[in-house]
Every structure is written in structure tokens, then in C-alpha cells.
Amino acid sequence: MNEAPAVTTPVVLGIDDLRPLPWATRIARTSREGVRLLEEHRDSFIDELWLDHDLGGEDTVMPVVTLLEEAAFHGRPFRIGAVFVHSANPIGAETVVRSLTRWSYRVQRATA
């Protein structure tokens, strides 16, 4: 008896304080939650990662970016199909794009 191949749901993670991101399978609302979310997925493939720069108050996505950069620096980059940066802060968004592109993550600006 042949079994049908397992259908896996794409892993789409979002880090955004306000947007609903209905296509995301999990959402973190703060940088601390975002770091924890990525650490939970450390050894699995992440199809898409959606990042907002400003996360309310003084919080930004930069601790998450630092985690991704350090992983790449140590030769163990996170396995991510694509990173989408959606932010109303053009300077912050460009900082994220430049930082992650430098470490060979596939990054692009997007609207959400």
C-alpha cells in the first residue's frame, strides 16, 4: 500500500507589532518574541520571514537582525527562503535590507 506524500504547510514567520499578516503561520509582536520565535525554528527551514523595523516605543527588529547576522558569521545561517522587509520607516527598512543582504540572506522590500 502506497502512502501519499505528506503535505507540509509552509513556515511563514512574521515580526510586526501591528499588522495582522494573515498569511503568517506565527507572528511575534516584539523583538524579544521575534528572537524566541527564530530560536524555536533554528534547525528547520523557514519559507518566508516578514520583518517590520519599528515594533512600538523604542523597540525595533534589530535584535532579530543581529541574531541572523551572528548565525551567519558563525557559519550557521538560518535557512530562510526569503526575507521580506515591510516598514513605514524607509531608513530602518534599508538598514535591515543592507545588513541581511551582506550575509547572503535573500532579502527584498515589500508592502504588507
Side-chain angles (χ1 to χ4, degrees), residues 40-95:
E40 287 174 23
H41 289 82
R42 181 64 185 103
D43 296 317
S44 59
F45 182 76
I46 300 166
D47 294 278
E48 295 179 8
L49 176 62
W50 288 76
L51 302 176
D52 182 18
H53 182 271
D54 301 321
L55 299 175
E58 298 296 313
D59 195 15
T60 71
V61 80
M62 292 314 291
V64 173
V65 172
T66 299
L67 175 68
L68 293 166
E69 289 176 308
E70 288 176 352
F73 175 79
H74 292 292
R76 284 194 68 226
F78 281 79
R79 295 181 304 126
I80 303 171
V83 179
F84 297 97
V85 180
H86 61 278
S87 180
N89 177 339
I91 294 171
E94 188 55 35
T95 299

